[in-house]
Amino acid sequence: PAVSAGWNIRQEEFMDEVDWIDILKLRVGYGQTSNQAVDPYKTWGRLATRPYNFGPTGYVTGYYVSELPNAELGWEYSSTWNFGLDFTLLRGRLSGTFEYYIQKTTDLLQSVSLPSTSGVSSYMANVGKTENKGFEFTVGYRNNWKDWSLDVTANISALRNKVKSLGEGVQPIKAEVMMSGSFNDRPTITKPGLPIGTFWGYVVEGFDNDGNFIFQDNNGSVNGVLTGKPDGKIDENDKTDIGNPHPDFTYGLNINVGYKNWDLTAFFQGTQGNDIFALMKYDWYFGGANSATLKDAFYNSWTPQNPNAEAPKLNSKNSSGINSLPSTFYVEDGS
């Protein structure tokens, strides 16, 4: 379902004497869309085959439950409220649109973990919730002077994304790309309270006497409960939010200048405030003895004579994994 309403203020009687406003309109709308991206047969249970050893009789092929059924499995739903303002001024020379929206998505498809005693590791269910809100603003100017014409349009938009819930029993979602196959460490996470795909890792505070990273000790645990206080050791609990891949805002500018039968068009676009994860640093700083290495890995890496370097010491094996773990060293401004 969807519904919208608008009020064209310019057509009201009290606007009759305002001749510099051509159009002034307020809008509000609500709509719901759905995503039916459920894999076929996910509502059914599944069996898989496996050889079972029965001793002297040898192996016999048998069946086991590989996936539980979920008859309640359904679509994801997104509900959106939007509020808008449209205007045209000065006999069409100046125009613009402002839009603010809030989108809430529920029943996200997630893999829900099950206890090992169930015999099945997980099942698919509609449990997640996310929220997107932001604004879009476009303004344009158009005019003509004899043989000349000018048309300029500028736009800016901002989006704030947050995971509200992944559902009970759903673990935080980590990136598929691993920084190091040896340490099974992944640079992004999706969890409640943070934007989707937040960069997740350690905060680098400097180098130790061997040229390896010193990570910030900011969280310990007592009896499995996090305390939020240092505990004198660096482990998984010390990971934190180290960057946001989503920009603070995006923008664009279109310019068209005309003179008789000639015209010049220019187009600009950009993002501001987004972070990027420089995976190339891992590949080319710690890629192994047989790999090419970036020049600045030599010139900017730690040595006893260069203790204030930007990068840790060169180490083709990096057997401890510490320098190649996801950290603020790899997060850069992506504006």
Side-chain angles (χ1 to χ4, degrees):
V3 63
S4 63
W7 176 28
N8 195 339
I9 304 172
R10 180 65 185 87
Q11 294 185 353
E12 300 294 342
E13 290 185 5
F14 60 81
M15 296 291 291
D16 288 345
E17 302 301 322
V18 186
D19 57 3
W20 56 277
I21 297 179
D22 307 316
I23 297 174
L24 184 61
K25 183 178 182 180
L26 288 173
R27 295 178 286 104
V28 61
Y30 172 81
Q32 189 180 74
T33 59
S34 55
N35 172 19
Q36 72 276 28
V38 183
D39 292 337
Y41 312 113
K42 278 294 183 180
T43 57
W44 297 2
R46 286 186 179 183
L47 297 178
T49 60
R50 175 182 292 166
Y52 292 88
N53 189 352
F54 284 89
T57 60
Y59 286 89
V60 177
T61 299
Y63 291 89
Y64 70 97
V65 177
S66 61
E67 193 168 322
L68 292 177
N70 183 2
E72 302 299 322
L73 198 64
W75 294 2
E76 299 176 346
Y77 288 96
S78 293
S79 299
T80 303
W81 281 96
N82 69 288
F83 308 89
L85 171 68
D86 304 322
F87 64 88
T88 302
L89 313 175
L90 306 176
R91 296 183 180 179
R93 294 189 183 94
L94 186 65
S95 61
T97 297
F98 179 82
E99 196 98 22
Y100 178 79
Y101 62 90
I102 301 175
Q103 181 189 65
K104 295 184 178 182
T105 302
T106 59
D107 296 335
L108 285 174
L109 293 164
Q110 300 290 341
S111 179
V112 180
S113 299
L114 293 172
S116 57
T117 52
S118 68
V120 182
S121 61
S122 64
Y123 75 102
M124 189 66 69
N126 297 96
V127 293
K129 297 180 181 179
T130 62
E131 180 183 81
N132 292 302
K133 57 184 178 181
F135 71 86
E136 301 174 355
F137 179 58
T138 301
V139 62
Y141 178 78
R142 176 179 298 174
N143 207 350
N144 295 278
W145 304 271
K146 295 184 179 180
D147 295 331
W148 289 88
S149 65
L150 175 65
D151 190 349
V152 180
T153 304
N155 64 79
I156 185 172
S157 63
L159 166 67
R160 298 295 179 264
N161 167 268
K162 181 181 289 187
V163 178
K164 307 295 285 187
S165 171
L166 291 179
E168 185 176 353
V170 179
Q171 298 300 314
I173 303 168
K174 295 186 178 181
E176 294 186 6
V177 176
M178 291 186 292
M179 288 289 291
S180 169
S182 302
F183 306 103
N184 190 29
D185 223 85
R186 302 163 192 267
T188 71
I189 197 168
T190 297
K191 60 183 294 187
L194 295 175
I196 292 174
T198 294
F199 297 129
W200 190 252
Y202 300 96
V203 177
V204 174
E205 292 188 325
F207 302 108
D208 62 20
N209 293 330
D210 293 324
N212 293 312
F213 284 137
I214 298 173
F215 292 139
Q216 188 178 85
D217 180 9
N218 54 31
N219 208 349
S221 65
V222 176
N223 298 325
V225 179
L226 295 178
T227 64
K229 299 179 181 179
D231 62 352
K233 62 179 181 180
I234 300 297
D235 55 24
E236 188 80 10
N237 295 329
D238 296 301
K239 283 186 171 182
T240 187
D241 173 5
I242 57 173
N244 186 353
H246 308 286
D248 294 333
F249 59 89
T250 61
Y251 57 90
L253 178 66
N254 291 277
I255 302 174
N256 185 280
V257 180
Y259 176 71
K260 292 186 176 180
N261 294 326
W262 296 85
D263 66 80
L264 172 66
T265 300
F267 171 62
F268 304 88
Q269 66 176 7
T271 67
Q272 184 66 36
N274 56 300
D275 296 311
I276 60 173
F277 201 93
L279 193 59
M280 287 290 289
K281 279 189 175 181
Y282 178 81
D283 292 337
W284 297 97
Y285 273 67
F286 310 112
N290 297 323
S291 297
T293 305
L294 291 176
K295 181 174 66 174
D296 66 308
F298 286 101
Y299 287 103
N300 296 325
S301 61
W302 183 96
T303 65
Q305 296 76 30
N306 185 24
N308 298 318
E310 296 179 5
K313 69 176 181 181
L314 291 177
N315 188 335
S316 61
K317 293 183 178 179
N318 199 31
S319 57
S320 67
I322 188 168
N323 294 331
S324 61
L325 297 179
S327 69
T328 51
F329 173 70
Y330 297 99
V331 177
E332 299 178 354
D333 184 6
S335 300

